[in-house]
Amino acid sequence: MLPRMKSWIDLCTEIVSGIGLIVMFLLLLIQVILRYFDNPLFWVEEVALLLQIWVVFLGVSIVLRKGGHPSLILLQRALSSTSFKLPLEFVIYGLMGILGGAMFYYGIQLAEETWSVKSPALGISRGVFILPVSLGGALIVIEVFYQFFKFLNKD
């Protein structure tokens, strides 16, 4: 059940990130065209920023899942033939789990503190700009636990 739930979370994360990138690209393209005709939309930059924040923090878990984080690759390649490889992976994923937990915890606190502040162009809560930090942290923690689960079930 855990692998199926995890694959569902991964699929949703990739779909939302992909849609966010496409919408952000299209909005910025339209904005560039409208600026050429001296008729820009006042809200596009704020929506693009919001989409970028969401895509980046959702994308962190995708990169971690695919093993594409540069520091992970460099450390694993440097120590691939030594006896430090397995403990290093535990340390790396442990630190990533701590980072994800901190992102989740402090992201929620910051979102609560900024929830009453409104964004200038859209008039929505600034907490919506902070929520992806918490969600990204939660996804990192889920990914770390899943990697530990996979490792423990290998034997």
Side-chain angles (χ1 to χ4, degrees), residues 43-57:
W43 51 267
V44 170
E45 283 87 4
E46 201 165 287
V47 172
L49 175 64
L50 182 61
L51 287 171
Q52 181 182 11
I53 293 168
W54 276 91
V55 167
V56 165
F57 282 101

Side-chain angles (χ1 to χ4, degrees), residues 33 60 103 107:
I33 292 168
V60 168
M103 286 171 56

Side-chain angles (χ1 to χ4, degrees), residues 119-132:
S119 66
L122 298 175
I124 62 173
S125 169
R126 294 299 274 177
V128 175
F129 289 78
I130 306 298
L131 281 178

Side-chain angles (χ1 to χ4, degrees), residues 2 6 9-10 135 137-147:
L2 182 62
K6 175 72 170 69
I9 290 170
D10 293 343
L135 183 58
L139 291 171
I140 288 171
V141 170
I142 289 169
E143 185 61 40
V144 166
F145 278 124
Y146 185 72
Q147 292 300 327

Side-chain angles (χ1 to χ4, degrees), residues 45-101:
E45 283 87 4
E46 201 165 287
V47 172
L49 175 64
L50 182 61
L51 287 171
Q52 181 182 11
I53 293 168
W54 276 91
V55 167
V56 165
F57 282 101
L58 290 177
V60 168
S61 68
I62 296 169
V63 170
L64 182 61
R65 176 174 24 101
K66 295 187 176 191
H69 194 281
S71 65
L72 295 176
I73 294 170
L74 292 174
L75 283 172
Q76 288 171 339
R77 284 185 185 163
L79 300 173
S80 63
S81 62
T82 67
S83 61
F84 291 113
K85 183 177 182 183
L86 186 60
L88 177 66
E89 287 188 35
F90 273 110
V91 168
I92 289 172
Y93 280 106
L95 290 173
M96 292 299 288
I98 292 169
L99 173 68

